[in-house]
Amino acid sequence: MNFMNTPVADAGAINELLARYGVKFGIYKNGTFKEQLFPFDAIPRVITAKDFSAMEKGLVQRVDALNLFLQDIYADDKIIKDGVIPEDFVYISKGYLAPCEGIKPPKGIYSHISGIDLVQAKDGEWYILEDNLRIPSGASYPLIARELCRMASPYTFENSHIVDNRNYAALLRGVMDYVNCGGINVILTPGRYNAAYFEHSYFAEKTGSVLVQNTDLFVEDNILYMKDYQGGKTRVGAVYRRISDEYLDPMTFLPESLIGVPHIMDAYRAGNVAIINAPGNGVADDKGIYYFVPKMIKYYLGEEPVLKNAPTYLPFYEEDRKYVLDNLETLVVKDVSEAGGYGVVFGRDMTKEQLADWRKLITEQSRRFIAQEVIDFIDLPITDNGDTVMRKADLRAFVLSGDKTRVWASGLTRFSRVADSFVVNSSQGGGFKDTWVLSQD
Amino acid sequence: MGAITRLNINNLFWLGRYVERVFTTLNSFFKYADRFIEGGQAAYEKYLADINVPDIYKSSEVFFDRYVFDLNDENSIISNLDRALGNGIVLRDEIKTPSLSYLQLAMDRFKACKGTTKIRYDMLPVRDAIYAFWGSVDNNMTNLEALRIIHLGKSVERLDLYLRLGYPIEDIFVQLDNLLKHVYRRFDTISSIINLDNLEALKNAASSRADLKALCAELLDNVDNLVEVNFVEAVAV
C-alpha cells in the first residue's frame, strides 16, 4: 500500500478535534500573546522499518555519546585534554555553565529527553541537522494527533502495520521514575503564557506528575518540596523543568529571574533531586559543538557514526573560513546562539551588498557562526486548500535516556507551508504531520 | 489523594463557579427569550438588576446580543464561559483532557450560535457540553479533594444565583442542602465558624422567602470568608 499520499481522514475532522482538545501553541506577536492551532496535515510521513532500525541505532549512539561528553566536560575534560575538541568551543559556549562543574546528576544522566532534528536527502540518506538537549519540545503534538487520527479514521490503522506511538508518556514516566531521588515527580512550567503550555499540562496529566510553577516549590535543608494550599509540604524527587537554565535558580544563575526556584541547584548538587534535563546541557547542543559530535562518537564509543551530520564548516578554523567566504552564495549560515529557526540565513537569498556584509561579520565574529551545505532534502506531500502540494519537511526524533536509551517510534514531522521555504518551525508558521514508523516493510 | 498546589486551589473553586454561572444564567436567559417570542418587551432590566449587572444595553435587542455573545462585555454569558475555559486550561492535569474538551466544545458551539433566530434550540449543544463536562469531571478526576472544591464552587454559585433570580423556595432548599453537604465535606473546622445546629434549626424554621434569603446570605458570607482565608490568602502568601 502506498501511504505517501493517503490522508488519514479529511484534515478538517482532525483539525476540529485538535481544536476541541486544545492542541495549541502560544506565540508572541507585537508584544501580545496569542494561542493558535498548530496546523495539522493529514497525509502522514512514513518511515520504513528498515530505515527506522538504522535511524534508531544512530540516534542511540549519538545521544549516548552526547551524554558521555557532558559527563566528561563537567568532570575530567578528557576529550579536551586529548585534543579532540578545542577548549575554545567548550568554555566560551553560552551553554557551558561553570556552576555545573563537578555535579554528578542522578544515575549519571544529563540528557534524559533529546530532540534530534533530521532531514532526509533526496538520495534517501538521513542527516542530523541539530541536537536539542535542553528542553526539546513537540512530542505532545504527534502523540495526541495519533490518538485523534485513530478516533477519526480507525480503519486506516487496521492493517497498516504502524507502530503504536502512544507509549510516549509511559516512556517519559519511566525516565522520571528511574532518576527520581525520592518523592513525587513534578513538571515545572513558567506558566500559562508559555508557548508550549499545552505540552506541559498534557504531559503532567499523562505522566501523573503535578504541574507546578516556581512559587509552588521551595528548598529546605537541600531538599526540594512542593507546598500545598493547606501549608503542607511534599518532597519532590524529580523535576521535569520546562524553563531555561539561566532562569532556573536565581541564587545560581540570573538573579533577576522571577520564574526560578531559589536554591534548587543546591538540592540538585546534593543529589537530592533530579533535574530533567540537567542544567548545562547547552554546551553539547551548541551549533558549534555539533561539528564535533561524530568525533565524540569515535572517541567515547570507538564506533563509526551511523548517522551523518550535514556537511558543516567552522569559520573559526582558517581553512573552513576561507571556504565559507568563497562559497557563501551556496551555503546556509547559522548563528550558534539562536534557536527556533531564527538566526538562519541562506547565501542564495542575499544581495551582493548583503553577502559583503555577511563576509565581514563572519570574519569578525568567526566563533559565532557555522556554515552548512544546503541539503536538498525531500519534499513531502501536504494538502493545501484541497490540492496536494510538495513542501520541505524535517523530523524531530525523541530519544529518552533512563535505564537504557530508547528512541520513540514516531517523532514530530514539521513542514513549511510556504513553497520552497526551508523554515519549518511552528513559531514561523510551519505545520506538522503524524509520523508513522512501520513495524514491517 | 494528590497534593493540590496553592495556585490551583483558586482555579478549582472558580472553575466550578464560572461553569455554573454560565449554565444557570443561560437557562435563565432562555426563559427571558421565551417570553420575547410574542413580541412583548420582556423586562430585561429587572433580570439585570437581580443578578447585579449594570444596564449598559438600553434596548432588548442590544441586550439579547451583547449579554449573550459579546466577549468584550465582562458580564456576558460568553465571557463567563471564557473565564471557565481559562481556569480549565490551567487545570488540565487535574480535570483531565476530556473534561477540558467539553468546555472547549461548549465555547465553539456557543460562538457558532451568534446571530441565531432560534437560540434555545441552537444552544442545546452548549448545555449538553456543560452536562458532559460535569459528568467527565466526576468520572475522570482522580484527586477527590480537587473535585470537591470544584463542586463547592458550583454549589456556592448556584445557591447565590437561585436566590438572586427568584427561584422557588423548594429549589433553594435543595441547593442549600447541597451546599451544606459540600461545606461539611470540605471544611473540618466549619462548626467553629458557623453554628450549623443553629443554621439547621433556622432552615427548618424559615417560613418566608425573606427568612430564607437572610439565612442563605449568612451562609454564603461565611463560605466566602472561608474561601478567602483558605484559598485566596493561601495563594497570596
Side-chain angles (χ1 to χ4, degrees), chain B residues 50-118:
Chain B
D50 286 344
I51 56 173
N52 199 25
V53 168
D55 181 9
I56 58 168
Y57 310 103
K58 307 303 177 198
S59 76
S60 297
E61 288 76 13
V62 176
F63 166 71
F64 197 97
D65 183 53
R66 286 197 60 195
Y67 174 67
V68 181
F69 293 107
D70 186 357
L71 263 170
N72 295 317
D73 176 357
E74 62 177 16
N75 293 309
S76 68
I77 300 175
I78 198 170
S79 67
N80 284 316
L81 180 55
D82 195 43
R83 290 183 198 104
L85 186 56
N87 279 286
I89 285 170
V90 298
L91 292 167
R92 182 191 290 268
D93 55 319
E94 288 285 5
I95 66 173
K96 312 301 179 194
T97 290
S99 311
L100 181 56
S101 78
Y102 286 117
L103 290 183
Q104 184 67 55
L105 184 65
M107 178 58 94
D108 294 344
R109 294 286 188 263
F110 202 118
K111 285 180 176 171
C113 291
K114 186 169 168 59
T116 179
T117 53
K118 47 185 194 314

Side-chain angles (χ1 to χ4, degrees), chain A residues 16 19-24 35 144 184 192 197-198 201-202 204-206 209-216 226-231 234, chain B residues 3-9 85-86 89-98 100-102 104-105 108-109 145 149 186 230-231 234 237:
Chain A
E16 185 188 326
R20 178 172 163 178
Y21 281 80
V23 186
K24 296 175 181 173
E35 271 191 322
I144 194 166
I184 60 170
R192 166 82 178 80
Y197 186 78
F198 161 74
S201 59
Y202 190 62
E205 176 191 357
K206 295 298 175 191
S209 308
V210 182
L211 186 66
V212 296
Q213 289 185 237
N214 62 327
T215 51
D216 296 317
M226 187 193 86
K227 51 194 163 193
D228 64 41
Y229 76 102
Q230 290 171 309
T234 306
Chain B
I4 303 174
T5 66
R6 299 193 304 173
L7 288 172
N8 273 3
I9 198 79
L85 186 56
I89 285 170
V90 298
L91 292 167
R92 182 191 290 268
D93 55 319
E94 288 285 5
I95 66 173
K96 312 301 179 194
T97 290
L100 181 56
S101 78
Y102 286 117
Q104 184 67 55
L105 184 65
D108 294 344
R109 294 286 188 263
E145 172 75 347
I149 290 164
R186 172 60 196 84
N230 283 275
F231 301 169
V237 168

Side-chain angles (χ1 to χ4, degrees), chain A residues 123-411:
Chain A
D123 63 2
E125 182 98 52
W126 287 90
Y127 288 93
I128 305 278
L129 272 192
E130 198 170 281
D131 305 295
N132 297 279
L133 310 182
R134 286 171 276 186
I135 318 170
S137 66
S140 58
Y141 299 105
L143 179 63
I144 194 166
R146 178 69 61 82
E147 176 66 22
L148 301 181
C149 288
R150 290 176 70 98
M151 189 190 294
S153 183
Y155 298 110
T156 304
F157 296 86
E158 198 174 19
N159 295 309
S160 304
H161 308 295
I162 302 159
V163 179
D164 193 343
N165 72 349
R166 291 174 295 169
N167 61 344
Y168 186 84
L171 293 173
L172 178 58
R173 171 71 186 263
V175 168
M176 293 169 96
D177 288 347
Y178 181 68
V179 296
N180 188 301
C181 301
I184 60 170
N185 295 324
V186 300
I187 295 181
L188 173 61
T189 175
R192 166 82 178 80
Y193 297 107
N194 181 269
Y197 186 78
F198 161 74
E199 179 154 298
H200 308 167
S201 59
Y202 190 62
F203 282 156
E205 176 191 357
K206 295 298 175 191
T207 60
S209 308
V210 182
L211 186 66
V212 296
Q213 289 185 237
N214 62 327
T215 51
D216 296 317
L217 301 176
F218 69 101
V219 174
E220 195 174 81
D221 297 332
N222 286 344
I223 292 176
L224 182 67
Y225 293 100
M226 187 193 86
K227 51 194 163 193
D228 64 41
Y229 76 102
Q230 290 171 309
K233 60 183 184 183
T234 306
R235 183 173 171 174
V236 176
V239 182
Y240 179 18
R241 52 71 183 243
R242 298 296 301 248
I243 65 177
S244 305
D245 286 355
E246 59 268 38
Y247 295 102
L248 190 57
D249 183 347
M251 313 309 287
T252 301
F253 303 117
L254 284 178
E256 63 267 35
S257 170
L258 298 176
I259 55 173
V261 182
H263 299 294
I264 192 173
M265 285 298 289
D266 297 338
Y268 173 60
R269 195 175 291 111
N272 291 332
V273 69
I275 298 179
I276 300 166
N277 285 346
N281 281 7
V283 68
D285 70 8
D286 181 297
K287 289 184 173 74
I289 291 291
Y290 161 91
Y291 175 86
F292 297 100
V293 178
K295 293 176 193 288
M296 280 178 208
I297 292 169
K298 288 180 198 164
Y299 179 75
Y300 292 117
L301 305 176
E303 297 170 5
E304 284 300 315
V306 176
L307 290 164
K308 290 181 181 169
N309 271 9
T312 303
Y313 307 95
L314 292 183
F316 177 84
Y317 292 129
E318 194 179 339
E319 189 184 344
D320 281 15
R321 185 164 63 246
K322 186 173 181 320
Y323 179 85
V324 171
L325 297 178
D326 289 347
N327 296 279
L328 191 56
E329 295 89 339
T330 63
L331 300 173
V332 53
V333 179
K334 296 180 178 177
D335 187 327
V336 296
S337 61
E338 295 280 2
Y342 294 97
V344 177
V345 289
F346 288 84
R348 65 183 180 204
D349 298 334
M350 294 181 196
T351 62
K352 273 188 180 176
E353 290 75 21
Q354 287 169 327
L355 283 167
D357 289 346
W358 273 94
R359 285 192 175 102
K360 186 166 177 286
L361 193 62
I362 290 166
T363 305
E364 287 170 359
Q365 300 181 39
S366 58
R367 171 66 182 84
R368 187 178 153 191
F369 302 101
I370 62 167
Q372 292 177 323
E373 301 289 350
V374 178
I375 297 175
D376 190 12
F377 54 92
I378 58 166
D379 298 292
L380 293 181
I382 71 157
T383 311
D384 184 26
N385 289 325
D387 296 327
T388 300
V389 295
M390 303 303 281
R391 293 287 183 267
K392 297 293 178 201
D394 75 354
L395 170 69
R396 173 165 291 180
F398 291 90
V399 185
L400 291 99
S401 303
D403 61 330
K404 60 183 282 196
T405 306
R406 296 179 174 88
V407 180
W408 183 38
S410 186

